[in-house]
Amino acid sequence: MRLAICPGSFDPVTLGHLDIITRASKLFDKVIVVVMSNAAKSPLFSQVERMALLNKAIAEASITNVSVDCYDGLLADYAKMRKATAIVKGLRAVSDFEYEFQMALTNRKMYPEAETVFLTTAAENLYLSSSLVKQVARLDGDVSDFVPACILPEIKEKLRKEREI
Ligand code: PNS
């Protein structure tokens, strides 16, 4: 069985993520989307909340060979534990490349059995990021073109609570 891991912080999942997950699901027998920590980011949604949003978006997209998990350690250790064939990442622009390339080489050093596979983002998602979604939503902008429709209420509710604090 060819198993791929699709790691990320998914804070929150965007239509760009969902496109990469959907396309990965067609290339591999099984895909595990793993919610991980990015040392450079402090997330808005908790790990459990990010998993719930992903599960909702994946169910709505009717992708059946994809499951959601979370892991706090190294991606290479998770890939090894799951005996993954591939680590799938989405590439948007050249600006993504250097960092992604560095991570791919490091992960290969730690777990050579998993190949990092880069899928180029769909042109309409080129500019899209979770940070942009949060920025627009915080200023009451409409993010319905950026995230799966089913998670819009959770984003609104989270930001409402954030404003209360
Ligand atoms: O969606 P992101 O924030 O770009 O995803 C980055 C992520 C979470 C995949 C990356 O930070 C990661 O792999 N974190 C797990 C810890 C780890 O393995 N770090 C070393 C990477 S070489």
Side-chain angles (χ1 to χ4, degrees):
M1 191 189 61
R2 301 185 78 73
L3 170 79
I5 285 170
C6 203
S9 26
F10 304 107
D11 184 45
V13 57
T14 67
L15 290 176
H17 293 133
L18 200 57
D19 171 56
I20 297 294
I21 294 166
T22 306
R23 282 157 56 202
S25 75
K26 293 174 185 160
L27 294 173
F28 296 92
D29 299 315
K30 188 170 165 45
V31 175
I32 306 178
V33 180
V34 202
V35 176
M36 305 199 84
S37 308
N38 181 335
K41 296 176 183 170
S42 44
L44 171 66
F45 291 93
S46 72
Q47 205 171 49
V48 170
E49 288 168 336
R50 284 179 276 156
M51 286 176 72
L53 295 180
L54 272 162
N55 272 317
K56 216 172 164 183
I58 288 164
E60 190 187 52
S62 305
I63 325 168
T64 51
N65 60 337
V66 177
S67 60
V68 178
D69 197 4
C70 64
Y71 192 67
D72 281 325
L74 280 174
L75 173 57
D77 288 343
Y78 185 83
K80 189 175 183 176
M81 186 174 82
R82 294 284 184 190
K83 297 188 174 65
T85 310
I87 295 166
V88 175
K89 304 292 298 273
L91 263 193
R92 285 167 303 191
V94 181
S95 52
D96 282 348
F97 185 76
E98 200 174 327
Y99 179 57
E100 291 294 345
F101 192 56
Q102 200 181 7
M103 281 201 289
L105 291 180
T106 312
N107 285 325
R108 186 196 286 165
K109 185 83 185 156
M110 293 190 282
Y111 184 57
E113 284 82 354
E115 203 62 65
T116 297
V117 175
F118 292 113
L119 299 184
T120 46
T121 192
E124 63 268 29
N125 297 326
L126 209 61
Y127 58 91
L128 207 51
S129 71
S130 298
S131 314
L132 180 135
V133 167
K134 285 178 281 190
Q135 219 178 95
V136 173
R138 275 191 177 113
L139 296 170
D140 278 332
D142 178 11
V143 292
S144 56
D145 281 343
F146 309 149
V147 298
C150 61
I151 73 161
L152 279 169
E154 279 88 344
I155 295 177
K156 280 191 186 135
E157 179 60 12
K158 188 74 180 176
L159 293 176
R160 192 189 61 76
K161 282 187 183 148
E162 190 188 53
R163 278 189 206 115
E164 275 176 11
I165 297 168

